[in-house]
Amino acid sequence: GEACERRVQALLAEKAYLEQRELARGAAGRGVAGDGHAAMLQAHATIALAFGELSSEHPLLRLVDEPALKVTALFFKQPTVRRIFFGFS
């Protein structure tokens, strides 16, 4: 939903900031960390995927995932269900 979209937008903004900072470092003559930069980009892509960027996944996954998240949210709005869940975890 909207929360996932906001998270993705925040991560994209952070990614752009980090890329600009890395380019500024390279321009200052300190060198560009090639492997570190690639690892950072991979980490951001993984985080974006973990926080719900399902556009690159199979469409059937989205059809199952979104209703499951809504049902889970409804369950956790009830105090008894929350207590039972956190009691078992």
Side-chain angles (χ1 to χ4, degrees), residues 18-19 22 25 32-44:
L18 290 172
E19 287 176 341
E22 189 67 29
R25 266 191 190 173
V32 176
D35 290 336
H37 184 68
M40 194 180 308
L41 288 176
Q42 178 62 32
H44 281 284

Side-chain angles (χ1 to χ4, degrees), residues 3-64:
C4 289
E5 184 63 29
R6 281 182 281 181
R7 287 184 199 149
V8 170
Q9 292 300 324
L11 290 171
L12 290 173
E14 182 181 353
K15 175 185 165 192
Y17 169 75
L18 290 172
E19 287 176 341
Q20 287 178 348
R21 192 173 78 178
E22 189 67 29
L23 287 175
R25 266 191 190 173
R30 288 184 237 164
V32 176
D35 290 336
H37 184 68
M40 194 180 308
L41 288 176
Q42 178 62 32
H44 281 284
T46 303
I47 291 170
L49 184 62
F51 280 111
E53 184 187 7
L54 294 175
S55 60
S56 63
E57 296 294 330
H58 197 276
L60 290 178
L61 180 62
R62 183 182 295 167
L63 288 175
V64 173

